[in-house]
């Protein structure tokens, strides 16, 4: 995403757009068990349109491939099982 780290302390991390606005934050262990699909998730559009390269990079960092949609969107899950999408541009 290219967003700078805004907070990283005591198992909590946050990033924020360089244009300011809302921070995106997450915490470390213990993580509550996940039940069902997330109501909210990220849809990522890789810079330069290099979807496959970004999917491969995320897989190398611990993501899991869940499915590929009819429109080519790749659905992945982070190591905690939270879904996110990598879209074609």
């Amino acid at each position: 995403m290219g967003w700078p780290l805004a907070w990283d302390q005591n198992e909590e991390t946050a990033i924020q757009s360089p244009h300011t606005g809302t921070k995106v934050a997450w915490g470390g262990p213990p993580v509550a068990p996940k039940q069902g699909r997330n109501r909210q998730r990220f849809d990522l559009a890789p810079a330069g349109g290099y979807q496959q390269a970004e999917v491969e990079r995320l897989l190398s960092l611990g993501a899991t491939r869940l499915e590929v949609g009819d429109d080519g969107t790749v659905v992945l899950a982070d190591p905690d099982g939270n879904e996110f999408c990598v879209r074609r541009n």
Side-chain angles (χ1 to χ4, degrees):
M1 288 177 58
W3 289 10
L5 193 61
W7 173 265
D8 189 15
Q9 189 173 8
N10 298 327
E11 304 276 346
E12 294 180 358
T13 305
I15 57 175
Q16 185 176 28
S17 167
H19 306 290
T20 70
T22 303
K23 292 176 179 70
V24 177
W26 59 94
V31 176
K34 187 173 172 313
Q35 298 178 2
R37 291 186 71 124
N38 293 352
R39 292 183 348 173
Q40 182 178 3
R41 66 179 178 201
F42 286 107
D43 284 355
L44 307 175
Y50 300 109
Q51 180 198 36
Q52 190 57 40
E54 186 61 14
V55 167
E56 294 303 321
R57 186 184 77 82
L58 292 165
L59 291 170
S60 76
L61 293 171
T64 303
R65 185 186 314 260
L66 298 179
E67 62 188 61
V68 178
D70 293 336
D71 63 352
T73 296
V74 179
V75 181
L76 302 172
D78 70 15
D80 294 323
N82 300 299
E83 307 92 5
F84 62 98
C85 298
V86 181
R87 297 195 174 277
R88 289 185 176 164
N89 287 353

